[in-house]
Amino acid sequence: MRALTATLISLCLFVGAAGAQSSKEGANTMPKPEDVRAVAPALEAYAQKFVVGDLWKRPGLSSRDRSIVTVASLIARDQTVELPHYLTLALDNGVKPSEISEIITHLAFYTGWANAMNAIPAARDVFKSRNIGADQIPSASGPQLPLDEATEKQRTTRVGEQFGQITPSLVQYTTDALFRDLWLRPALAPRDRSLVTVSALIATGQVAQITYHLNRAMDNGLTSDEAGEVLGHLAFYAGWPNAFSAAPVVKDVIEKRSR
């Protein structure tokens, strides 16, 4: 574990240096509205009319949840240009620094280590600008949430029977790293952790994984109306094709749960 921590720290430093260089060159800076208008005035008009003027004001999903969905989508898709802006907005909307830290860590497992690492420079700079210190960031280890032994036993048995002979390492890491560790970290509530996961799956077109995780999200407290709003929100941040590809799966889960 210490070796892994040292490796992650060195990687963060490397990514941070690369991000700083990119920022100096102006290649990783969110364009201002006037810059967008100078190149694509219709894009700026759509942004003001639909994204700023309507989407973020819809009542079906709180501003805090919309921030979580947006940050998850940007990290999952490795879109770091807008990330500082939306991390700042997330803090303004009530997402805690500890929750942002956990979102980044969680997405390392669900969208790849590199995507999480690429989010580190933006989060580091936003935390620094807000005077957010180590006392507001969750530690690497500590007390965990209680494990639902019966549910986990069912999941372990099912996955083991399906894939244990083919990829025992995947089955073992899924149990040890994800469901008996990551998902039990208390700094991000299970409902929010599920929201992050579902948002990332939709944003990256991972349709096959949505059924299980959306059911888990709804077991953890996400409502059907909120699930529908997540799709509408992600249409803007991950594209209409990803939203519509996920829509039949979301519809199927909601309809089956309502019977």
Side-chain angles (χ1 to χ4, degrees):
M1 180 59 71
R2 290 180 179 176
L4 175 59
T5 302
T7 301
L8 293 181
I9 291 172
S10 65
L11 283 170
C12 291
L13 292 174
F14 173 78
V15 173
Q21 181 63 29
S22 177
S23 179
K24 289 179 182 178
E25 295 172 356
N28 196 34
T29 304
M30 183 174 177
K32 298 177 181 178
E34 56 267 29
D35 297 326
V36 179
R37 284 195 296 271
V39 175
L43 176 60
E44 172 60 14
Y46 284 132
Q48 293 301 322
K49 181 178 180 180
F50 291 109
V51 179
V52 177
D54 186 74
L55 180 68
W56 280 82
K57 298 178 181 179
R58 288 180 59 86
L61 201 63
S62 70
S63 296
R64 177 183 176 277
D65 285 348
R66 290 188 187 277
S67 282
I68 289 174
V69 171
T70 306
V71 168
S73 174
L74 293 176
I75 295 173
R77 293 167 60 81
D78 196 21
Q79 296 174 329
T80 58
V81 170
E82 292 191 319
L83 192 54
H85 168 76
Y86 282 106
L87 287 172
T88 299
L89 182 61
L91 291 169
D92 291 341
N93 285 336
V95 182
K96 300 175 183 177
S98 58
E99 292 170 330
I100 289 175
S101 173
E102 286 296 311
I103 289 170
I104 294 172
T105 301
H106 189 86
L107 288 173
F109 291 89
Y110 282 92
T111 68
W113 231 250
N115 285 349
M117 291 298 179
N118 284 345
I120 294 295
R124 175 202 60 202
D125 291 346
V126 169
F127 285 1
K128 184 177 180 180
S129 71
R130 292 292 189 100
N131 294 317
I132 295 169
D135 60 318
Q136 298 182 61
I137 305 301
S139 61
S141 61
Q144 294 185 320
L145 297 174
L147 176 69
D148 185 334
E149 294 284 357
T151 299
E152 175 57 12
K153 183 178 180 179
Q154 290 178 356
R155 186 207 63 77
T156 302
T157 301
R158 182 177 65 253
V159 173
E161 291 175 347
Q162 287 180 306
F163 307 114
Q165 295 298 316
I166 303 299
T167 174
S169 61
L170 177 60
V171 171
Q172 192 63 50
Y173 287 136
T174 300
T175 295
D176 294 346
L178 269 67
F179 290 102
R180 288 185 176 270
D181 197 323
L182 181 70
W183 278 88
L184 301 181
R185 291 179 58 81
L188 190 63
R191 184 259 188 196
D192 295 338
R193 201 173 284 278
S194 283
L195 180 60
V196 169
T197 308
V198 170
S199 298
L201 294 175
I202 295 171
T204 55
Q206 300 293 335
V207 177
Q209 295 291 310
I210 292 173
T211 297
Y212 171 80
H213 281 288
L214 181 56
N215 271 300
R216 187 181 181 95
M218 297 181 77
D219 288 343
N220 286 334
L222 190 74
T223 68
S224 57
D225 288 342
E226 290 170 336
E229 280 297 315
V230 169
L231 279 174
H233 192 90
L234 285 174
F236 285 92
Y237 288 94
W240 255 250
N242 281 327
F244 266 107
S245 292
V249 182
V250 173
K251 178 175 181 287
D252 183 64
V253 170
I254 291 173
E255 287 181 345
K256 286 181 177 178
R257 291 180 68 95
S258 65
R259 291 173 185 170

